[in-house]
Structure formats: structure tokens, C-alpha cells
Amino acid sequence: MYSYKYPRMALTVDALVIANKNSKPHLLLIERGIEPFKGMWALPGGFVNMDETLEDACVRELNEETGIVVGEMKQFKAFDAVNRDPRHRTISVVHYVILDELTEAKGGDDAKQAKWFLLEQLPSLAFDHRHVIESFKASGLVSFT
């Protein structure tokens, strides 16, 4: 169906899902069940289908990997470092949602498990997700005090 002279990059979405418990911000992460970075923690996310918007893809991936359903998400920023994914050139458009409370999450699709972490006590992360999180914290879009 498509024929291009030049190689194309892959497009993904990642979800920053934040909730407060006892006035302490928590971030939802998934444990990757597949390579690359199998067994490491990451933001929920995945590849965008040809027939969906970026936001729809992020809402879908969040639901598939954690069981959490949200109505809408806000777009934060695109991350495009050349070597951010060891498989191939991948650009991720990160979205975020702030929840009123910690919502039950369980791993699904290619996520072994889903778990809430204190934002200030995150485990080692896959891809460039630590950089993504630090960029979001520094953006001032949400107050973490």
C-alpha cells in the first residue's frame, strides 16, 4: 500500500499516569514482559496503529497494559533521540493524565505487571523513560509539592 524512497521511523506513545496518595505523587509503571528491556520497568505505551490518533493510541495502550481506562489524556512532548530504542529509530509522543486516587492496575498484553511507585523512589527504567519523567517534572505542568 505504501512505497517510499526513504526509510520511515516508528511512532509510539507513552503514558505518564500520576496519582496522589497521602499527598505523595505516585507514578504508574509496567514491568516489560518482552525484549528489549524484558523485566525492566517502563511507562505504559506502545506503537500507534495506522487508524488511530496519538491520544487514542495512548489511551488504548494504557488500558491494554494496565487495565486502567481514562477518558482523555493531554499531550506532553515528543522524544526523538536517535538511539532511544535499540530495535530501530523510534519517536515517542508522551501523554499524561492526573488521577484523583491510585487506581487498581494489573499487567496485560506485553506487560508482566503494573505497579504504582512513589515518584521520588522509582526503580531503574527502560529506554529513556527516566529522562521523560524528569522532563515532565521540570516542565511545571503539574506541581509535585
Side-chain angles (χ1 to χ4, degrees):
M1 179 172 175
Y2 300 99
S3 176
Y4 299 106
K5 181 178 178 182
Y6 304 101
R8 297 290 182 234
M9 298 168 223
L11 182 61
T12 63
V13 289
D14 288 304
L16 287 160
V17 183
I18 298 166
N20 281 316
K21 180 179 180 183
N22 302 324
S23 297
K24 294 182 180 179
H26 286 66
L27 178 69
L28 182 64
L29 297 174
I30 56 106
E31 181 184 357
R32 290 185 53 80
I34 61 171
E35 294 295 349
F37 303 109
K38 182 177 181 179
M40 289 188 70
W41 293 95
L43 296 168
F47 292 95
V48 178
N49 293 329
M50 292 296 286
D51 62 347
E52 63 188 350
T53 66
L54 295 171
E55 182 184 5
D56 289 345
C58 202
V59 167
R60 174 185 55 77
E61 285 288 344
L62 176 62
N63 178 253
E64 287 176 0
E65 293 188 345
T66 70
I68 293 177
V69 177
V70 296
E72 65 180 50
M73 301 185 82
K74 294 181 182 173
Q75 192 175 116
F76 169 50
K77 182 178 174 180
F79 290 83
D80 64 349
V82 174
N83 296 315
R84 62 179 305 275
D85 186 326
R87 296 171 289 192
H88 42 68
R89 180 71 196 277
T90 304
I91 295 173
S92 182
V93 180
V94 177
H95 291 67
Y96 69 97
V97 64
I98 310 299
L99 303 179
D100 293 331
E101 59 187 31
L102 299 184
T103 303
E104 182 181 348
K106 60 179 190 256
D109 194 28
D110 55 357
K112 186 175 178 181
Q113 64 176 315
K115 183 177 172 182
W116 290 98
F117 290 86
L118 280 169
L119 191 58
E120 299 304 323
Q121 296 178 358
L122 299 177
S124 294
L125 298 171
F127 303 101
D128 61 350
H129 291 183
R130 172 101 33 210
H131 172 67
V132 170
I133 294 162
E134 293 303 321
S135 295
F136 185 72
K137 287 168 52 178
S139 74
L141 288 170
V142 176
S143 173
F144 296 107
T145 57

